[in-house]
Amino acid sequence: MFVIGTAGHVDHGKSTLVYALTGINPDRLREEQERQMTIDLGFAWLTLPSGREVSIIDVPGHEDFIKNMLAGVGGIDVALFVVAADESVMPQTREHLAIIDLLKVPYGVVALTKSDLVQDPEWLELVREEVREELRGTVLEGASIIPVSAVTGRGLQELLGELDRILDVAQPRQDLGRPRLSIDRVFSIAGFGTVVTGTLIDGRLTVGEEVQILPGDLRARIRGLQMHKTKVQEALPGSRVAINLSGVAVEDLRRGQVVTRPGWLEPTMLLDARLKLLNRVPWPLKHNAAVEFYAGSARVVGYVRILDKEQLLPGEMAWVQLRLAEPVAVVRGDRYIVRLASPSLTLGGGEIVQPHAPRRYPRFRSEIIARLEALSRGTCAEVFLELLAGTTILEARELIQRSNFSVMEATRTLRALVEKGEIIILAAQIPEEQALAHCAVPLLARNTWEGLLTQIKEILEAYHERFPLRAGMPREELKSRLQMGAEHFNLILERAAREGELVVTPLAVRLPAHRVVLSPDQRRAVDRVLAMFRADPYMPPSLAQVEGELGSELLQFLLEEGLLIKVSDSVLFDAETYAEMERRVVAYLKEHQRITVAEVRDLFGTSRKYALGFLEDLDRRHITKRLGDVRILR
Ligand code: GDP
């Protein structure tokens, strides 16, 4: 399916031409009919001589209505560019042409309307020449220029034939497997409820499917679909579609929101882009200038941060960051326009290279500019690696969506990069190719992985040197040193352990080569303390005493090695004694069902403090359970 959009100066005969071609009056409001001006997008459709059906959006020409024009022009394949033969090129002719050019509308044809009003063939030639001159250097350069008249019917067949000829070779809109429809109209129909219209791109929509509406994160279900007033079960990319939605109220919807499949598209307020300032803008664009930003049918206020120039001169290009006052739902590769509200003026536009800028960049940084250039040029593989540059970790589905390649190409490329080891997947198994597009497994570039491993090893090396008696670095401490979320951190440790790079226990991490070795002095001190424990096993030295004898590092070592067991802030037992006490208490409980602190005290001939500490430790380990004054077995 293809969408044709009209453009051109007000009163140059766009709506009349659409009516003459289609028999449908695209002016939809009574007010428009009365004023004979198309103040909102009008829609019509047409069967070309070949039998091909196309949609026509009639975009109004009046300066005040430029917003509507932009809402419509974002999704069109062919520009039907109208210039009245009697008046020739006018200011809005130029502005609309500039917008068509900035949005890179791929195809176009020029209709010289009202040709019946021009008697002099030389005049017609002059107008034709002037138009040809205007088109030079734009996407419409070389487009056919066809004199037509809605009054006499002249040229209409030729125009239809030309549209067919263009569409014979036109690239149909891609099916990227993730539909988007930028809402240009919202209304309700009695008996049906909420209806939105727009041009569907990048995928199909089906009756019954659940959709997400962004920004605003609303959910709804598709109750019905219409193309050209005909019900359909499935709408194809590149068509004008009306969607009847259930589960969402008209008041919650507005032009500029995007209807899509749930879960992948995230609105943004900071994006990286290429910006061209139009030649006809009378002054340079300053850094941080306030503009109106248009993409799809969205319009929001924003600020232009110019990254590689002091200011942008008319006719020049720059790398920019657009800081928006409200979120918009756009993807990499989308085209946009920036305008000034007052005086009303189209400034320029370009391509969105990264919808989610990782941060606000400092200006004049060559490495940042180089990165943006790579992102804008790259193949799918290059874009993946660029998106994963630095220390970025992205989920597989995020990476695929941000790259803006078709799901098929993206998953194939990703799979190949993972197999080549250029991208590391943080999972024990590589998911199936089909599953990659939906799966949340984190990915990182090989460089990032290697950098992380080196960093972890350096941290551990320093740690082992500083605390030679500790078996390893507590996981929590390492995690906070790396400033990493728990989920990614755990997956990274798992992988490093699988590969034998690190030894990971539930609480600590160490280098595989690290061994705790005691000096002869330390060994003697440890033996002496352990002997004290054996001498009086049920009333052994307190924690403070042991610390006094050995120091906290050596005490920590004995605890980590499991030679001593800490049951409270002051009470320790040696491991053998603890195990024996546990056996005897459990046996006692099996026989008597319950045990008190005093009974434990008497059982081992110890004091209340030791007995209580020991029992509380059994409670913590879920061996026993306290019920009032007694313990029972769990
Ligand atoms: P739009 O603002 O570009 O949509 O222009 P309209 O389609 O509303 O046309 C503006 C005026 O030009 C109307 O009064 C039309 O009747 C008139 N008009 C449009 N096409 C032709 C044509 O081919 N010949 C003549 N003589 N008048 C035309």
Side-chain angles (χ1 to χ4, degrees):
M1 261 308 215
F2 290 100
V3 179
I4 296 172
T6 65
H9 197 77
V10 68
D11 264 352
H12 273 198
K14 294 181 293 296
S15 299
T16 309
L17 179 60
V18 171
Y19 187 58
L21 291 174
T22 64
I24 299 168
N25 189 344
D27 293 358
R28 62 175 193 90
L29 301 174
R30 178 175 306 154
E31 181 195 22
E32 293 169 39
Q33 306 253 356
E34 280 165 4
R35 290 167 60 195
Q36 292 206 350
M37 269 200 298
T38 313
I39 62 162
D40 207 333
L41 300 171
F43 299 105
W45 57 92
L46 168 67
T47 309
L48 293 175
S50 63
R52 178 188 281 128
E53 200 170 275
V54 293
S55 305
I56 299 193
I57 307 180
D58 186 29
V59 283
H62 194 285
E63 172 109 11
D64 288 345
F65 305 148
I66 193 92
K67 308 167 186 66
N68 294 314
M69 148 124 189
L70 279 166
V73 87
I76 74 178
D77 303 290
V78 184
L80 175 52
F81 195 57
V82 165
V83 182
D86 57 338
E87 283 194 338
S88 191
V89 174
M90 297 293 278
Q92 287 140 34
T93 315
R94 295 203 173 96
E95 182 160 20
H96 288 199
L97 179 60
I99 290 171
I100 286 169
D101 189 45
L102 288 169
L103 294 176
K104 292 266 180 288
V105 174
Y107 308 98
V109 55
V110 181
L112 291 187
T113 50
K114 309 192 192 182
S115 66
D116 57 288
L117 297 180
V118 176
Q119 307 304 334
D120 182 356
E122 264 181 48
W123 172 260
L124 203 59
E125 258 329 295
L126 275 175
V127 172
R128 198 196 277 269
E129 200 38 57
E130 196 178 13
V131 170
R132 194 171 328 196
E133 200 47 51
E134 262 328 296
L135 301 183
R136 188 155 297 154
T138 73
V139 287
L140 295 190
E141 175 163 354
S144 301
I145 301 171
I146 302 171
V148 299
S149 166
V151 172
T152 67
R154 172 187 177 182
L156 296 181
Q157 282 312 312
E158 200 189 328
L159 182 60
L160 293 173
E162 174 63 12
L163 288 172
D164 248 338
R165 205 186 57 74
I166 291 172
L167 295 179
D168 279 342
V169 295
Q171 284 286 325
R173 291 271 177 163
Q174 276 187 296
D175 187 343
L176 301 181
R178 30 134 248 231
R180 310 189 270 154
L181 179 139
S182 199
I183 298 177
D184 49 38
R185 283 198 289 170
V186 181
F187 48 92
S188 70
I189 298 180
F192 283 99
T194 307
V195 177
V196 299
T197 66
T199 305
L200 177 62
I201 55 173
D202 290 358
R204 298 152 188 250
L205 287 175
T206 316
V207 172
E209 98 175 73
E210 196 201 8
V211 289
Q212 187 179 20
I213 299 149
L214 299 159
D217 194 15
L218 303 164
R219 296 293 168 113
R221 198 164 286 283
I222 298 183
R223 187 191 286 164
L225 288 169
Q226 278 199 359
M227 284 165 55
H228 307 165
K229 300 237 154 103
T230 310
K231 275 192 179 173
V232 290
Q233 270 305 306
E234 184 182 58
L236 304 179
S239 44
R240 289 290 315 165
V241 179
I243 312 178
N244 181 201
L245 292 169
S246 64
V248 65
V250 166
E251 304 79 63
D252 296 329
L253 299 175
R254 58 179 193 279
R255 172 179 286 184
Q257 286 175 317
V258 171
V259 180
T260 187
R261 204 159 281 161
W264 69 276
L265 184 59
E266 234 179 85
T268 177
M269 294 174 73
L270 183 66
L271 42 90
D272 299 337
R274 194 105 173 99
L275 172 64
K276 181 186 172 167
L277 190 64
L278 292 176
N279 244 324
R280 20 186 249 108
V281 174
W283 55 79
L285 187 71
K286 297 221 159 40
H287 178 64
N288 261 337
V291 296
E292 284 184 324
F293 169 90
Y294 293 80
S297 52
R299 171 168 64 112
V300 303
V301 170
Y303 300 88
V304 183
R305 308 192 62 241
I306 304 174
L307 297 177
D308 55 353
K309 291 188 166 68
E310 267 314 327
Q311 56 175 8
L312 187 53
L313 299 177
E316 280 188 350
M317 301 259 226
W319 285 108
V320 297
Q321 259 192 324
L322 294 158
R323 196 158 53 81
L324 307 178
E326 287 166 74
V328 293
V330 291
V331 306
R332 174 176 171 271
D334 277 356
R335 318 263 339 163
Y336 71 94
I337 296 284
V338 288
R339 295 195 86 248
L340 222 50
S342 154
S344 173
L345 178 70
T346 300
L347 295 170
E351 187 187 4
I352 296 169
V353 166
Q354 179 155 248
H356 294 269
R359 66 201 155 90
R360 238 163 111 169
Y361 305 130
R363 302 174 70 198
F364 306 111
R365 288 289 173 84
S366 56
E367 73 279 7
I368 289 171
I369 304 306
R371 191 176 136 66
L372 292 176
E373 260 157 21
L375 268 178
S376 74
R377 271 198 318 263
T379 61
C380 185
E382 283 164 350
V383 167
F384 279 170
L385 294 173
E386 211 37 67
L387 287 170
L388 289 172
T391 53
T392 316
I393 300 179
L394 288 177
E395 291 177 1
R397 56 176 181 206
E398 269 178 297
L399 181 75
I400 288 172
Q401 281 140 14
R402 288 196 192 171
S403 74
N404 203 29
F405 284 88
S406 76
V407 170
M408 230 173 64
E409 179 171 4
T411 48
R412 205 183 320 116
T413 308
L414 180 55
R415 172 94 200 192
L417 288 171
V418 169
E419 272 164 12
K420 274 200 286 180
E422 300 218 22
I423 288 181
I424 306 287
I425 194 157
L426 290 178
Q429 276 181 341
I430 303 178
E432 291 286 310
E433 192 168 311
Q434 291 86 343
L436 279 172
H438 318 287
C439 81
V441 291
L443 305 170
L444 67 182
R446 186 179 49 204
N447 284 346
T448 313
W449 168 253
E450 284 169 357
L452 263 171
L453 264 189
T454 310
Q455 193 190 356
I456 292 174
K457 286 177 178 173
E458 279 168 11
I459 293 174
L460 290 178
E461 218 159 281
Y463 190 88
H464 293 328
E465 201 174 307
R466 183 148 171 237
F467 303 107
L469 294 178
R470 294 195 193 166
M473 183 171 191
R475 285 174 78 129
E476 276 308 309
E477 200 174 329
L478 180 59
K479 192 179 93 194
S480 69
R481 281 286 295 278
L482 295 172
Q483 297 191 326
M484 202 176 257
E487 201 191 334
H488 288 168
F489 176 74
N490 291 337
L491 288 168
I492 284 167
L493 288 194
E494 268 170 40
R495 186 181 166 94
R498 263 201 311 279
E499 298 201 329
E501 301 276 0
L502 305 175
V503 177
V504 179
T505 65
L507 289 177
V509 188
R510 67 173 166 90
L511 291 173
H514 175 66
R515 296 272 178 285
V516 177
V517 183
L518 299 184
S519 69
D521 279 354
Q522 288 170 326
R523 174 75 10 226
R524 270 193 292 280
V526 165
D527 288 346
R528 193 173 66 241
V529 167
L530 291 179
M532 287 159 71
F533 272 78
R534 277 192 294 275
D536 198 354
Y538 307 117
M539 271 201 281
S542 71
L543 191 138
Q545 256 175 299
V546 176
E547 195 165 357
E549 290 280 333
L550 297 178
S552 62
E553 278 305 302
L554 214 42
L555 166 62
Q556 192 61 35
F557 165 73
L558 291 178
L559 292 173
E560 268 178 24
E561 292 288 294
L563 291 169
L564 293 184
I565 292 175
K566 177 177 162 182
V567 299
S568 75
D569 283 345
S570 61
V571 178
L572 298 166
F573 291 103
D574 73 86
E576 255 170 58
T577 306
Y578 184 96
E580 183 224 309
M581 289 168 76
E582 182 180 333
R583 262 195 318 277
R584 283 172 61 187
V585 167
V586 170
Y588 184 97
L589 278 167
K590 282 193 177 146
E591 201 182 323
H592 303 283
Q593 275 74 51
R594 47 176 55 196
I595 197 166
T596 64
V597 176
E599 281 162 345
V600 172
R601 183 194 62 200
D602 298 343
L603 200 56
F604 299 106
T606 180
S607 77
R608 187 181 157 77
K609 180 178 82 170
Y610 287 96
L612 184 63
F614 175 69
L615 277 180
E616 280 173 352
D617 199 49
L618 288 189
D619 291 344
R620 260 194 303 279
R621 291 177 49 223
H622 302 292
I623 309 267
T624 52
K625 184 173 164 182
R626 184 177 159 191
L627 284 181
D629 285 345
V630 302
R631 258 83 182 175
I632 57 164
L633 268 184
R634 275 242 183 210

